[in-house]
Amino acid sequence: KQEVTQIPAALSVPEGENLVLNCSFTDSAIYNLQWFRQDPGKGLTSLLLIQSSQREQTSGRLNASLDKSSGRSTLYIAASQPGDSATYLCASLSLTGGGNKLTFGTGTQLKVEL
Amino acid sequence: ETGVTQSPTHLIKTRGQQVTLRCSSQSGHNTVSWYQQALGQGPQFIFQYYREEENGRGNFPPRFSGLQFPNYSSELNVNALELDDSALYLCASSLDMFPGGDTQYFGPGTRLTVL
């Protein structure tokens, strides 16, 4: 059974700081790893998707890496802004008993302060 | 804007009642998945439908059931509601069921409160 863990659970940083969010997973037999953003009480917005054959993906100030062998992924946010404040969730995609199932971590709640 | 819509936005029910939540996927997306997100937790996979048939289920009891329709809409039905069913229910659609890079697009969710 896949388990996904995210560290830290919460993070508060001053504006402009670079930061790293961590995600670990127990079963390396994944098809991809996705990072999502969730604003309070809202749905999920996909940020980056890394295929199992890839090492990293970049979008603007965001960079996500994937190391399947160690069961780890990181999300790097450069030059953080107050608008980046949200909960960040990572999820691994695996095929289990039929269907493509996303297994989520519990998220990192990020607050970027002025 | 993902093109996935859900209704209603919020819902309040009492224990023992039944509820139906609705989702409208992006046109052409043959796969819809439903997730339950309790407060402070990550979403948990309930089940997935592909071309109107259930093809995967998480650790949820049979009182959670679903339907998918040819017009890319779907329903999540929950019978005999319990207090622990209070959560944000999310649906996600994707083009096909096969892995390999197909992003799942999430709707805004339905907030269910069971009293």
Side-chain angles (χ1 to χ4, degrees):
Chain A
K1 177 188 172 186
Q2 177 75 285
E3 293 183 5
V4 178
T5 304
Q6 291 187 246
I7 294 173
L11 184 62
S12 182
V13 300
E15 182 180 13
E17 192 162 299
N18 302 323
L19 56 100
V20 175
L21 307 182
N22 297 292
C23 172
S24 62
F25 47 94
T26 55
D27 185 355
S28 61
I30 64 172
Y31 288 101
N32 63 45
L33 190 291
Q34 299 183 52
W35 284 91
F36 293 89
R37 169 185 171 138
Q38 186 173 34
D39 293 291
K42 304 295 185 182
L44 306 180
T45 301
S46 179
L47 297 173
L48 289 165
L49 182 153
I50 313 175
Q51 302 290 355
S52 61
S53 58
Q54 297 175 323
R55 297 285 291 185
E56 64 179 319
Q57 281 288 334
T58 298
S59 176
R61 295 183 293 109
L62 305 180
N63 175 277
S65 67
L66 174 64
D67 184 342
K68 276 184 59 176
S69 61
S70 66
R72 294 180 181 180
S73 176
T74 62
L75 177 66
Y76 175 82
I77 302 177
S80 58
Q81 303 170 358
D84 295 330
S85 298
T87 296
Y88 291 80
L89 294 154
C90 70
S92 66
L93 180 69
S94 57
L95 184 65
T96 171
N100 298 338
K101 170 185 173 181
L102 281 172
T103 301
F104 285 85
T106 53
T108 293
Q109 189 172 2
L110 172 65
K111 183 176 182 181
V112 181
E113 299 175 319
L114 290 169
Chain B
E1 189 67 40
T2 64
V4 180
T5 60
Q6 292 187 244
S7 63
T9 304
H10 296 89
L11 199 54
I12 299 176
K13 291 286 189 178
T14 56
R15 196 170 49 182
Q17 285 188 312
Q18 178 267 342
V19 68
T20 297
L21 310 181
R22 293 180 173 83
C23 172
S24 179
S25 303
Q26 286 194 26
S27 180
H29 281 197
N30 295 309
T31 303
V32 64
S33 304
W34 285 89
Y35 292 83
Q36 179 196 67
Q37 186 178 22
L39 201 61
Q41 301 296 314
Q44 298 289 316
F45 176 73
I46 302 174
F47 46 56
Q48 182 179 80
Y49 279 77
Y50 175 68
R51 298 195 175 191
E52 302 164 52
E53 291 198 8
E54 183 180 304
N55 78 317
R57 189 176 186 92
N59 190 25
F60 281 81
R63 60 189 185 84
F64 285 78
S65 63
L67 288 170
Q68 185 186 25
F69 303 102
N71 65 352
Y72 305 111
S73 66
S74 60
E75 292 179 353
L76 164 65
N77 298 289
V78 186
N79 294 322
L81 284 167
E82 301 177 359
L83 297 179
D84 286 348
D85 295 334
S86 295
L88 181 68
Y89 288 85
L90 298 162
C91 75
S93 74
S94 57
L95 186 60
D96 214 334
M97 66 176 284
F98 298 107
D102 195 21
T103 299
Q104 295 195 22
Y105 297 91
F106 281 81
T110 292
R111 171 72 63 185
L112 173 65
T113 301
V114 182
L115 302 176

